[in-house]
Amino acid sequence: MKIFTFDTTLRDGTQGEAVSFSVDDKLVIAQKLDDLGIDYIEGGWPGSNPKDEDFFKRAAELRLRHAKLTAFGSTRFARNPVEEDRNVRKLLDSGTPVVSIFGKSWELHTRRALGVSEEENLKLISDTVAYLKAHGREVVYDAEHFFDGYTASPDFALRTLEAAKNAGADVLCLCDTNGGTIPVRLEEICAEVRKRFDGILGIHTHNDSDVAVANALAAIEQGFTHVQGCMNGYGERCGNANLCSIIANLELKLGHTAIGSDKLAGITTVARFIAELANLQMRRDQPYVGQSAFAHKGGVHVSAVMKDSATYEHVSPATVGNHQRVLVSDLSGRGNVLYKLEQHGLAKRLARGARRELLERIKQMEYEGYELEAAEGTFELLVREALAPGTHFFDVEGYEVSTKVVGTDSRSTASVNLKAQDGVHTATASGHGPVNALDVCLRKCLSALYPRISDVRLTDYKVRVLDSKKGTAAKVRVLVEWSDHRKSWSTVGVSDNVIEASWSALVDAIRLELMRLTEQDDSVERAVEDYCWGV
Ligand SMILES: [Zn+2]
């Protein structure tokens, strides 16, 4: 059956504590959601803030091929006739073909929050729906707090739906606004509503009980055909129902059509793109679309997955545009590394001794606290060094760095001694902080010999304490992200001295770049990408 997908990432999703989109971001996201085949895109609440109002003004720039843009708002204020209500006016002014409006289903809210009688509440709903219908809009009626309202008083809650339905609402959408309902209870209530109302019923759930997706699916099992949610489960408090998981489950588990199987293969890309725009780390373990969703680490799992991926994967990762990843780790023994190298034709290029040495080195580094899965640059360097054992660009003879602080002014100076093929190079430089000073120094030493290393620049720097019990004497892992305009990668260093760990990550990045400049080796790059990112 066709299930209509209603995305509210741009409205309810932005209620999430860490989520913020500019108007430009919102426009780009709307376009992506349209490409993905989402049926409705709720763009915002024009009556609530100027940013959302601006979004609808600029929405004319969008070229939506499939989705219907939707504006969100509340039923009219009790004191205003509907045609004079500012909020309702803004909904019409936004010019969207669809309007979703929420009304009260819970006696408690009607009395306490609105301070109106039951009859007045019903009038607010029917007036607003009828007015929007009279202006040619498709109307989605969001029954706010429906499940709590129904539990308190089924008759009261059902009468509000009736008011919306009789006024011409196209969709009656039941909302678990507080996210407190669990699937068995939600399913019972949905079944009762289904018995009484024909036409399109919708479901909007929040994740406060960690069952928002299950709740949405439970409603669909009861014949609901309109489902609301947010990409990556963004939203207020614990988030909205994660639309990525809902769509994948509908398509792959329940035999429904939400966006269609072709579009489904694009969902991972869109989910990650939105996380990127939101400047939020994508949850690695997010079902279906996360980086770890099809990652295998345990040795037994890996060898089974290598024989038949169905042994440890509930669906094929390709169906959602994700990829299987086999992780290198001390847990999994040598199988994983070999698997990756073999897959890309590299194993046979390694001498027997070099292969064993590489595996031992990886094992030892992971034991010391290196996390190679997140540092594809360091891993690539290890593989390249094993493939070309004679290649050596420089040796570090020594380095020194000091920071002088006077008042609020701080200045770091470093000096580095390197031995390269044409002799010893020495440089001194200052920088913004010790790591920057060392970075500048290292490049100064090498730039005459290898001018192209200037293309590599540091884009992110993270420090993680590995054994927090030791306080400031703890071992740290430094992860540095680099980019050369073409691609980006990370290198890692581990030490109980943060400068030493940073230096090691720094030197790895430069060595790697030199290796890459000397010998282009696509199969190494592919093997590394495959293992680290699963692409
Ligand atoms: Zn909501």
Side-chain angles (χ1 to χ4, degrees):
M1 190 184 292
K2 165 67 186 170
I3 308 295
F4 293 94
T5 51
F6 183 108
D7 178 280
T8 179
T9 308
L10 302 179
R11 201 273 303 170
D12 225 356
T14 62
Q15 300 293 315
E17 193 177 344
V19 183
S20 170
F21 297 117
S22 67
V23 174
D24 286 307
D25 291 342
K26 290 179 83 162
L27 291 166
V28 177
I29 291 172
Q31 200 66 60
K32 290 272 174 200
L33 293 170
D34 180 53
D35 294 343
L36 184 64
I38 298 293
D39 299 302
Y40 296 85
I41 299 170
E42 192 168 65
W45 184 349
S48 81
N49 65 75
K51 194 202 265 183
D52 286 4
E53 217 177 315
D54 195 24
F55 168 81
F56 287 109
K57 274 190 200 132
R58 291 187 50 198
E61 297 167 23
L62 290 170
R63 292 281 162 266
L64 300 184
R65 276 172 300 182
H66 171 82
K68 294 183 204 168
L69 198 61
T70 304
F72 173 87
S74 69
T75 52
R76 70 167 170 85
F77 277 26
R79 60 175 182 277
N80 298 338
V82 67
E83 57 281 358
E84 285 170 25
D85 189 276
R86 184 182 151 272
N87 182 45
V88 174
R89 164 75 18 222
K90 290 209 165 173
L91 285 171
L92 288 178
D93 288 347
S94 67
T96 56
V98 185
V99 170
S100 55
I101 53 155
F102 73 94
K104 304 283 181 202
S105 330
W106 191 0
E107 234 178 330
L108 174 79
H109 271 263
T110 309
R111 266 189 293 110
R112 284 268 173 84
L114 291 186
V116 299
S117 70
E118 180 184 354
E119 284 314 310
E120 280 172 299
N121 182 46
L122 296 177
K123 193 95 174 59
L124 299 184
I125 296 168
S126 57
D127 277 3
T128 316
V129 172
Y131 186 72
L132 293 168
K133 284 306 295 174
H135 284 79
R137 299 300 192 272
E138 181 178 338
V139 175
V140 176
Y141 175 70
D142 284 342
E144 194 193 24
H145 293 112
F146 185 82
F147 297 93
D148 297 313
Y150 185 95
T151 301
S153 165
D155 290 341
F156 182 94
L158 289 168
R159 275 198 292 272
T160 63
L161 288 185
E162 232 163 61
K165 176 87 180 164
N166 293 341
D170 298 278
V171 179
L172 300 177
C173 182
L174 313 188
C175 305
D176 187 27
T177 310
N178 292 359
T181 312
I182 55 166
V184 277
R185 177 69 183 138
L186 182 130
E187 198 161 0
E188 269 171 31
I189 298 175
C190 288
E192 287 302 318
V193 173
R194 179 81 281 179
K195 268 189 233 160
R196 290 173 170 78
F197 293 91
D198 54 9
I200 299 177
L201 293 176
I203 183 75
H204 173 112
T205 52
H206 279 259
N207 203 33
D208 302 72
S209 309
D210 210 7
V211 289
V213 172
N215 274 343
L217 299 179
I220 288 163
E221 285 294 282
Q222 293 306 317
F224 285 41
T225 52
H226 167 113
V227 65
Q228 303 194 352
C230 293
M231 295 296 282
N232 301 325
Y234 295 149
E236 207 161 0
R237 304 184 308 273
C238 313
N240 281 60
N242 184 348
L243 202 55
C244 304
S245 303
I246 291 175
I247 291 172
N249 284 325
L250 290 175
E251 297 271 354
L252 300 172
K253 306 287 172 75
L254 295 169
H256 294 300
T257 302
I259 57 175
S261 56
D262 287 357
K263 299 275 188 189
L264 185 64
I267 202 164
T268 296
T269 311
V270 176
R272 292 181 188 179
F273 177 85
I274 291 173
E276 191 76 31
L277 269 191
N279 202 15
L280 291 173
Q281 195 81 35
M282 184 83 186
R283 244 182 70 208
R284 290 185 83 90
D285 61 354
Q286 191 173 314
Y288 291 107
V289 299
Q291 295 225 351
S292 306
F294 302 95
H296 305 282
K297 193 163 180 178
V300 180
H301 293 201
V302 171
S303 54
V305 161
M306 280 160 70
K307 287 184 196 120
D308 181 353
S309 58
T311 50
Y312 285 98
E313 285 172 0
H314 68 128
V315 297
S316 158
T319 53
V320 289
N322 206 340
H323 299 268
Q324 183 187 87
R325 293 170 58 229
V326 171
L327 308 177
V328 178
S329 103
D330 52 338
L331 269 185
S332 52
R334 297 153 61 150
N336 294 353
V337 187
L338 279 181
Y339 169 66
K340 280 295 149 203
L341 297 178
E342 264 159 25
Q343 229 185 6
H344 293 273
L346 294 169
K348 55 178 182 295
R349 285 169 49 195
L350 283 171
R352 217 181 157 67
R355 191 191 300 188
R356 203 174 36 242
E357 222 168 84
L358 172 65
L359 296 174
E360 284 307 316
R361 229 175 130 189
I362 289 171
K363 233 173 165 175
Q364 181 60 28
M365 286 173 80
E366 296 236 329
Y367 173 72
E368 284 170 19
Y370 281 78
E371 200 182 48
L372 291 175
E373 287 128 27
E376 67 276 40
T378 300
F379 179 65
E380 183 179 337
L381 182 65
L382 287 173
V383 175
R384 281 178 176 275
E385 282 179 344
L387 285 168
T391 322
H392 207 67
F393 298 96
F394 60 88
D395 282 308
V396 179
E397 300 238 294
Y399 65 90
E400 202 182 309
V401 63
S402 64
T403 298
K404 192 173 171 185
V405 180
V406 179
T408 55
D409 235 31
S410 102
R411 191 173 181 77
S412 294
T413 313
S415 61
V416 169
N417 281 328
L418 298 182
K419 207 161 131 196
Q421 65 225 52
D422 64 339
V424 175
H425 292 252
T426 305
T428 302
S430 342
H432 304 286
V435 178
N436 180 242
L438 284 168
D439 186 18
V440 176
C441 250
L442 184 59
R443 287 160 195 271
K444 245 181 159 179
C445 280
L446 293 169
S447 58
L449 273 174
Y450 310 107
R452 283 185 60 196
I453 55 164
S454 59
D455 288 351
V456 182
R457 60 195 172 83
L458 188 154
T459 54
D460 198 8
Y461 177 88
K462 288 181 210 133
V463 181
R464 163 93 30 102
V465 173
L466 294 178
D467 41 3
S468 54
K469 285 196 199 91
K470 289 193 181 159
T472 49
K475 209 180 215 189
V476 293
R477 175 166 59 220
V478 169
L479 199 70
V480 187
E481 211 173 279
W482 307 89
S483 163
D484 67 356
H485 312 299
R486 192 173 58 95
K487 57 187 281 184
S488 56
W489 67 94
S490 304
T491 53
V492 65
V494 174
S495 170
D496 49 14
N497 178 334
V498 69
I499 298 292
E500 212 171 289
S502 312
W503 172 255
S504 151
L506 197 65
V507 169
D508 273 7
I510 301 294
R511 280 217 167 98
L512 174 62
E513 186 62 9
L514 293 175
M515 281 270 189
R516 283 176 176 165
L517 290 173
T518 321
E519 196 197 344
Q520 226 182 344
D521 195 335
D522 290 346
S523 50
V524 175
E525 289 197 19
R526 274 202 307 276
V528 169
E529 275 179 8
D530 188 6
Y531 137 74
C532 290
W533 301 109
V535 290

